[in-house]
Each structure stands twice: as C-alpha cells, then as structure tokens.
Amino acid sequence: MANPMREVNGVNLHFRDIGCGPPVVLLHGHGQSNRVFRHLERRLAHDCRVILIDSRGHGLSERGDKPLSIPLMARDVAAVMDRLEIERAAIAGFSDGANIALQMAVDFPARTDCVVAISGNARPEGLKPSYLRLLRARKRLDRKS
C-alpha cells in the first residue's frame, strides 16, 4: 500500500507502506530519500511490512519550521507508526537514519523491537572536510530561517 504525503507531527511527510508481515522501518541518511532502499525494499516486502519514510526536509517531505534534530525526526517516526497503527517495529537506518533509529530505542523503547544502525555517528569529526563544510553552512542557514 503506497501512502501520499500526510500530516504527521505538524508537518507533511511522505512515507510508503508495502508488504505484509512483521513491520520494519527503513530510515535513510542525510541528503537522501527513502528511494535509497529501492532494491532492499522489494526483497524485504516478501516477508515483512516495510515502512519507508522521507525524513523532514528530505525527498518529498516538507521541512517544517522547527530546527532539524535527531530527536525531532525520531518523534516523526513514532508519529508515522501511530498513523499506521504499528505498535512495535524493527528500526533500521543508515547514517543519520542510524542515529534516528538509535534515538528511537532511547526515546521509544517499547516501540522498538530491534535496531540496525549502519554508519551512525555520535560526532561529525569523522566526516570528509568538504561534507563537514556543507553541514556547517546548512546549519547556519537553518538558524537564520
């Protein structure tokens, strides 16, 4: 079942719900969309209910007027799960998606069956200098808006 953009947690988010079985939420990294999982989603949908979310300000989702943060995006994931009437799910994420998945486990442990965190980071120091400059510039722009 495909879902259009819907109001979730005060912003219009795009998410998709495909397959049947135990729910698995897939969370993309910074600057990506849920389409990064296009090959994986087909395989998982044979045995699982796969929820693919475009995070705030990514893909087809609106950014909203709140400053972007990992805790805010974890609340968005929980709100999408509420909208889809999913009590608990496995949460898997890459990069910022991994950080959101870990935040879900901290903030919503009863909603999180397990976490797969791929290339998450606690601090940005390990990023390439060019990407770090881009993130700092974006953060400055976010503060001005």
Side-chain angles (χ1 to χ4, degrees), residues 16-88:
R16 295 182 298 128
D17 179 3
I18 62 172
C20 295
V24 176
V25 177
L26 298 180
L27 303 170
H28 61 80
H30 180 78
Q32 299 176 328
S33 75
N34 74 62
R35 297 305 300 158
V36 74
F37 296 115
R38 67 187 171 279
H39 300 294
L40 179 60
E41 74 184 60
R42 291 183 205 133
R43 290 181 181 203
L44 289 176
H46 290 292
D47 300 308
C48 300
R49 180 179 181 186
V50 183
I51 313 307
L52 301 119
I53 303 169
D54 282 348
S55 297
R56 285 177 183 253
H58 293 78
L60 299 176
S61 290
E62 294 177 347
R63 187 182 177 288
D65 56 3
K66 297 178 182 175
L68 295 179
S69 70
I70 297 300
L72 175 63
M73 290 188 269
R75 290 192 301 274
D76 290 343
V77 172
V80 168
M81 290 172 62
D82 289 343
R83 172 77 70 157
L84 297 174
E85 299 180 356
I86 296 172
E87 189 174 326
R88 296 178 60 86

Side-chain angles (χ1 to χ4, degrees), residues 1 6 9 20 23 30 46 53-54 74 88 90 108 123 140 142:
M1 168 172 106
R6 297 177 67 181
N9 201 19
C20 295
H30 180 78
H46 290 292
I53 303 169
D54 282 348
R88 296 178 60 86
F108 303 99
R123 297 184 320 254
R140 283 191 301 273
D142 284 347

